[in-house]
Amino acid sequence: MNLAVIGAGYVGLVTGACLADVGNRVHCVDRDAARLHLLRGGHLPIYEPGLDTLVARNAAAGRLVFTDDLPAAVADADAVFIAVGTPSREDGAADIGQVLQAAGDVARSATRDLLVVVKSTVPVGTCDRVREVVEAELARRGAPCELRVASNPEFLKEGHAVEDFQRPDRIVIGTSDDDDGALLRALYAPYNRNHDRLICMDIRSAEFTKYASNAMLAARISLMNELACLAEKVDADIESVRRGTGADPRIGYDFLYAGAGYGGSCLPKDVRALIRLADEYGAAADILGSVQAVNLRQRTLLYEKLERFFRGRLAGRTIAVWGLAFKPATDDIREAPAIDLIGRLLRAGASVRGYDPVAGANALRALGQDGFSIADDARAACCGADALVVMTEWREFKSPDFRGLAQTLRARAVFDARNLYDPAYVRSCGLHYEGVGRAAGRPARRAAPAAAAVR
């Protein structure tokens, strides 16, 4: 098929490259000149494992084209995917302005019948708004063509997006027309061969499914974090509790890890938008409100642990932070707990030396350089630091030299926001250890004065 994808950001780029890889001809449209320059030069504006190879292969084959010429992209398209951003407004609602703008641009350019597919995460009723915009523009032009509208939400996990697209657990399609459903079924056939993963429903249900899915995931994370805080109070180990609880097949282990709270571009934004949607329709959102409140509280946890350990005297301290992205295998720092923690430490007068395999440059741009620096590697981040905080579970952080850290860190303290380490072993190496929801073990060793030399 001939396809156009509007938006060469995270969702649009993965969608365009994956659809081109199975033989479709895809025009990826974006207004950002700098982004287009990168893509045309063979460089990606984001880090996503496997995506660079996919883009290069299909661009070289001529199946994937990057352009700012929307009319040319739409001219012979069978379907146009809208994959633009829907950022949060001040009131928490999703801003669908870019979606409606893209729909209007398509209607102004279309010269033949085609299907407009909304891929962006949007509130229920957005496709109705898109249809209104499209029909009004076609009527204004007196255009004889017909533009239908469908919903096809994405379920891509950052760090695994290519695999998620190529081996989906579900393909959700919302349509009001059987022919549109058949077109999308044919388009996704290469990813739907072993068993039928395609779920067809009405458009509003498809829009709502995306929000409901992210709300469920956020709720699991917040519930586990709330239980972790209670586990610390009663001297239980949340990791043991996780294993015992997750063994129940009705519960399972996915998204059952305690930590520093969820972040990224999806869960925080979508929970806020769903709460706002409930308010708009006069519906209760008690659980959603609690999910959000727990997550906001959890983001202060590591700072509070550090403040308590240093007896409120963080000024003059140097804290090493391993992991700046909100999760491993991505350079995305949007609403990353590490960025929140570093901001609090800097405001308290501490210096922070961070390290992340791919997100360092993004963090430096977001935080500036006053009191914050990026180290070349994990070991260098700890040189001269008082304590280490591990905020993202990158593979290279999973088995460090703890005895070496005990000689390097001035206060000999490790704060493990992802519960990567065995507390007893870390303590046996001469380090103070605190995780999230871990049994307290022996009493915490207090920090040395800020001016103490490296031991």
Side-chain angles (χ1 to χ4, degrees):
M1 294 185 193
N2 291 320
L3 307 171
V5 177
I6 302 178
Y10 180 82
V11 174
L13 196 53
V14 172
T15 299
C18 288
L19 289 175
D21 202 49
V22 293
N24 299 291
R25 179 171 172 78
V26 181
H27 282 79
C28 218
V29 183
D30 202 284
R31 293 179 171 180
D32 189 325
R35 179 177 295 172
L36 287 175
H37 179 74
L38 277 175
L39 291 167
R40 288 167 176 164
H43 304 288
L44 268 60
I46 59 172
Y47 176 82
E48 180 63 36
L51 184 58
D52 52 352
T53 302
L54 203 64
V55 169
R57 178 168 66 241
N58 288 283
R63 291 188 297 267
L64 183 61
V65 177
F66 299 105
T67 180
D68 59 0
D69 190 344
L70 189 144
V74 170
D76 62 350
D78 300 299
V80 176
F81 286 81
I82 295 178
V84 296
T86 54
S88 290
R89 297 191 324 221
E90 288 187 6
D91 63 358
D95 184 345
I96 63 171
Q98 294 181 57
V99 173
L100 299 181
Q101 177 67 47
D105 290 343
V106 172
R108 279 185 286 275
S109 303
T111 57
R112 55 179 291 186
D113 293 356
L114 58 84
L115 179 63
V116 178
V117 184
V118 178
K119 195 82 175 163
S120 303
T121 300
V122 294
V124 176
T126 298
C127 284
D128 292 339
R129 296 276 307 279
V130 167
R131 185 180 293 107
E132 291 170 1
V133 168
V134 165
E135 290 177 351
E137 185 58 37
L138 291 176
R140 186 192 66 79
R141 289 176 51 204
C145 52
E146 178 188 14
L147 271 60
R148 291 104 52 214
V149 179
S151 173
N152 175 217
E154 54 87 12
F155 297 95
L156 306 176
K157 299 186 296 293
E158 291 191 46
H160 302 274
V162 172
E163 182 180 358
D164 286 346
F165 197 101
Q166 295 177 335
R167 297 176 179 81
D169 50 21
R170 64 200 147 155
I171 303 166
V172 173
I173 291 172
T175 68
S176 56
D177 185 281
D178 291 342
D179 289 340
D180 295 341
L183 185 150
L184 290 172
R185 180 176 287 278
L187 181 63
Y188 281 110
Y191 307 116
N192 199 36
R193 294 177 64 86
N194 290 339
H195 64 272
D196 192 2
R197 299 176 175 87
L198 198 140
I199 306 170
C200 283
M201 59 186 72
D202 64 275
I203 290 175
R204 285 187 166 233
S205 295
E207 291 172 326
F208 195 71
T209 296
K210 169 66 181 204
Y211 278 113
S213 296
N214 280 352
M216 289 284 186
L217 297 176
R220 281 177 70 95
I221 294 169
S222 281
L223 178 57
M224 203 62 184
N225 282 333
E226 190 162 77
L227 292 173
C229 291
L230 181 57
E232 285 192 11
K233 300 288 187 184
V234 301
D235 204 26
D237 188 337
I238 199 65
E239 279 298 291
S240 297
V241 174
R242 179 185 66 81
R243 292 192 294 272
T245 304
D248 186 329
R250 297 170 301 175
I251 299 172
Y253 292 106
D254 290 343
F255 281 74
L256 210 62
Y257 291 88
Y262 57 76
S265 63
C266 293
L267 297 190
K269 176 174 73 74
D270 293 352
V271 170
R272 286 194 296 266
L274 203 48
I275 291 172
R276 182 66 184 84
L277 187 68
D279 182 63
E280 181 182 337
Y281 280 85
D286 298 339
I287 293 176
L288 290 169
S290 296
V291 166
Q292 181 174 250
V294 169
N295 193 60
L296 292 174
R297 185 172 69 233
Q298 198 72 8
R299 293 166 73 90
T300 69
L301 182 67
L302 270 298
Y303 177 82
E304 291 168 355
K305 286 178 177 288
L306 285 162
E307 188 179 45
R308 186 164 55 248
F309 179 77
F310 287 109
R311 296 178 177 176
R313 295 191 290 270
L314 283 166
R317 300 285 181 179
T318 298
I319 308 298
V321 176
W322 286 358
L324 305 171
F326 85 96
K327 62 180 288 188
T330 181
D331 62 352
D332 194 345
I333 62 166
R334 286 175 289 183
E335 303 209 35
I339 303 302
D340 188 84
L341 170 66
I342 293 168
R344 293 175 190 273
L345 289 170
L346 295 176
R347 289 191 292 274
S351 297
V352 179
R353 191 177 302 122
Y355 170 70
D356 189 285
V358 299
N362 287 345
L364 198 58
R365 281 192 293 271
L367 292 164
Q369 301 184 36
D370 189 13
F372 175 65
S373 61
I374 295 293
D376 292 333
D377 55 49
R379 183 186 296 271
C382 296
C383 291
D386 292 286
L388 166 65
V389 186
V390 183
M391 292 296 290
T392 313
E393 61 273 32
W394 284 96
R395 185 181 297 275
E396 67 176 273
F397 302 155
K398 291 188 176 181
S399 187
D401 176 8
F402 290 112
R403 297 190 189 282
L405 286 173
Q407 296 301 312
T408 301
L409 297 171
R410 290 189 290 208
R412 296 185 181 179
V414 172
F415 296 83
D416 178 9
R418 299 299 174 182
N419 291 343
L420 296 179
Y421 311 130
D422 173 35
Y425 177 73
V426 177
R427 289 168 182 147
S428 75
C429 293
L431 290 159
H432 169 83
Y433 172 87
E434 290 190 44
V436 178
R438 311 304 298 271
R442 62 190 173 106
R445 192 180 66 78
R446 291 297 182 184
V454 177
R455 304 185 192 195

